[in-house]
Amino acid sequence: MVSLTGVNAAAAAEAAADPIVAVDLDGSIVYANPATRESFERSSLIDIRLESILTVQGGHTLLSVLGPTPQRVLVEIAPDAGEPFEAEMSVNPSDAPEGRYWVLVMHPLPRQELSIRELLRRATHDDLTSLANRSYLLEHIDTTFRDPRTADVPHCLVLFDLDGFKRINDNWGHDAGDAVLVAIGSRLLGLCRPGDVVARLGGDEFAAWCHNIDDRHVPDLARRLGSVFADPVEFDELRLEVRGSLGATTTSFAHDPNELLRQADTAMYRAKASGRDSHVIFDAAMAAELRERGVRERELRRALSTEQFVLHFQPVVNLATKVVIGMEALARWDHPRLGQLQPHDFIPLVESTLLLDEFNTAMIEQACNQLAAWQEQLSRPLSVWINVSPNHLSEAFVDRFSTLIRDLDLVPGRLVIELTEDATIATPERVAVLESLRALGVRIAVDDFDTGHSHLACLADLPIDLVKLDKSLVQGIAGRPERLSLASSVIDLAHALNTEVVAEGVECREDLEVLERLGCDHAQGFLLAMPSPAEDVPGLDVGDVIDLR
Ligand code: C2E
Ligand code: CA
Ligand code: CA
């Protein structure tokens, strides 16, 4: 029989008011203190399976919590006579010469606390699947790293994401979706070893924290866990095929729960990108990439907070009068080390981070402030044209805009929002946002309009005021009949729809003359004026015209 190590420990256990038991690998009781015998109202408990007199809550079994890491679980104890009661039970692995055993200490919960405990259980577990939730998982990983017995043992975190789960929900209803989640969760539990933690992170995302897995064995583990998708899930008369992607990482890459989650997530997205039903294991190259991204993100964050992003302005010139009617705001990054960077050097970077929203907002605010300044300084109307990323369009965006207009006392008609053509595909949500903007009095321009007649329809479908012909259509138009006829039909159609046309990227006089002949309303380009800081832009004063001679 296993004995508690040391006379003092044993004496303490004998004297303790709380039930303390020791169980072996099978969950059979090898020691029980007097308080236990009292609580369970039995004279002897030795060799009885603990689970025959107590139920572990939260979808666990006793064996599943007998792992190498200490844990805390909620149990319900049902004595032979008397009311069942709940207790918090700490599970502490311990090693004796005879083998491993677990010391379980129970703290019965006062009845009035039960509802608080229930709340606690709900806070750490997912209601649908009864698996652990994200915060429990993170907490548990953290405990692993803080416990000297498990801190340096290799562990593996695996993330699962179902492919096409939405389709199951849409086609067969939410009950079917729920059944899939429950089935996958319980299969995962079955594929893991005692002491591993299986969690539902939310939606159709699951995680498994597998202890004591050497890096060499991770591919096998990933394959084993991947078999969770091998069989269809049966629901009513249906057999639902479920696919998923899987990403794994190990503690050789990080000792921080959130970092591990990020790594597993990166690997999982790789798996998703490489095709359905595959797994990817985080490696040194991905680690280097993540670090690099971290560095760039910090750099970007600093750039935003120290206002290294500035706007240059390029005049939009009316072709009939050669008067500057507006200024397009174009972002530049005054990088402390690399000098001035152009949008193609940093916009993709900004878009790949979580800072896109902040960047867009900063640029929009700068542009509006500049418009306010010009409104004050100039004795003639001048508009400011702002490039807006398509995914930035939302009702919240409209609200922010309307606040800016009110706070800065802007004339709404002097704000033009430029949206790239593919972004303006007329979804009902987008049209609604554009309508709200126009209701404020703001004008909308379709940017980079270049493709053939298939897209002409969008001019009619969208609530817009202006079209900007892309440079690819404009440059060399004088010598290219096909460009000329395309531009000509866009201009005619736009005019028929009461939409004005701006030609972008005009670099030579021949092209400009053709555009004038076609009746194009306005133009922009190096020939007319380069983008420059607000204080240097030409054509601001009354009577100023852009002189090409
Ligand atoms: P875009 O909206 O099509 O802007 C016009 C681009 O053409 C600008 O490049 C401008 O400098 C350039 N350009 C003007 N005239 C000529 C010309 O005659 N010839 C040639 N070859 N190019 C000319 P830039 O400033 O590098 O901006 C590139 C793109 O970055 C913009 O394309 C826009 O899509 C995006 N962008 C710039 N600023 C912002 C911003 O504040 N927010 C967002 N979301 N996007 C921005
Ligand atoms: Ca633009
Ligand atoms: Ca453009």
Side-chain angles (χ1 to χ4, degrees), residues 449-450 469-477 483-484 486-487 490:
F449 194 92
D450 66 345
L469 297 183
D470 192 66
K471 352 185 198 316
S472 64
L473 197 59
V474 167
Q475 294 181 338
I477 192 170
R483 284 189 195 177
L484 192 147
L486 201 53
V490 175

Side-chain angles (χ1 to χ4, degrees), residues 23-209:
V23 297
D24 63 12
L25 265 173
D26 302 328
S28 299
I29 298 176
V30 292
Y31 166 83
N33 71 347
T36 314
R37 295 195 292 270
E38 215 166 281
S39 298
F40 288 83
E41 300 180 12
R42 294 207 182 191
S43 53
S44 170
L45 288 155
I46 300 301
D47 284 343
I48 288 182
R49 279 180 179 275
L50 181 60
E51 229 167 347
S52 66
I53 51 172
L54 143 175
T55 328
V56 184
Q57 315 270 282
H60 300 289
T61 62
L62 179 68
L63 291 188
S64 77
V65 298
L66 299 183
T69 13
Q71 307 214 33
R72 270 173 201 284
V73 289
L74 210 62
V75 295
E76 190 180 74
I77 294 166
D80 283 346
E83 289 278 298
F85 62 97
E86 280 196 318
E88 189 186 45
M89 181 171 85
S90 65
V91 182
N92 309 282
S94 195
D95 288 309
E98 300 88 340
R100 174 164 288 186
Y101 65 100
W102 285 263
V103 177
L104 314 176
V105 184
M106 287 161 242
H107 310 283
L109 303 173
R111 301 222 172 261
Q112 63 271 33
E113 257 187 46
L114 284 186
S115 60
I116 302 171
R117 289 292 150 179
E118 179 57 17
L119 286 177
L120 187 73
R121 190 191 68 77
R122 289 198 186 148
T124 54
H125 286 83
D126 169 47
D127 270 345
L128 177 67
T129 59
S130 293
L131 296 173
N133 64 13
R134 176 186 292 264
S135 61
Y136 181 90
L137 176 76
L138 292 175
E139 174 86 37
H140 179 85
I141 298 178
D142 205 43
T143 314
T144 314
F145 292 141
R146 276 189 280 114
D147 188 319
R149 284 170 295 183
T150 48
D152 298 321
V153 179
H155 304 285
C156 176
L157 178 68
V158 188
L159 227 60
F160 305 78
D161 191 276
L162 308 194
D163 296 328
F165 178 66
K166 187 175 175 301
R167 216 191 42 242
I168 292 179
N169 261 334
D170 289 350
N171 290 353
W172 308 110
H174 284 268
D175 288 346
D178 286 356
V180 165
L181 294 175
V182 170
I184 296 294
S186 93
R187 284 181 195 175
L188 273 179
L189 264 181
L191 288 167
C192 286
R193 294 180 303 180
D196 292 351
V197 172
V198 177
R200 179 174 170 224
L201 301 182
D204 57 353
E205 218 177 76
F206 294 87
W209 172 246

Side-chain angles (χ1 to χ4, degrees), residues 314 328 331-332 343 347 360 387 389 447-448 471 505 507 525-526 531:
Q314 186 181 34
E328 177 174 4
R332 302 289 180 261
I347 293 227
N360 279 326
N387 292 287
S389 308
D447 203 358
D448 301 343
K471 352 185 198 316
E507 290 181 5
F526 296 161

Side-chain angles (χ1 to χ4, degrees), residues 328-330 386-387 418-419 447-448 468 504 524:
E328 177 174 4
L330 295 161
I386 306 177
N387 292 287
E418 295 193 17
L419 293 167
D447 203 358
D448 301 343
K468 299 187 76 173
E504 295 189 309
Q524 260 179 299

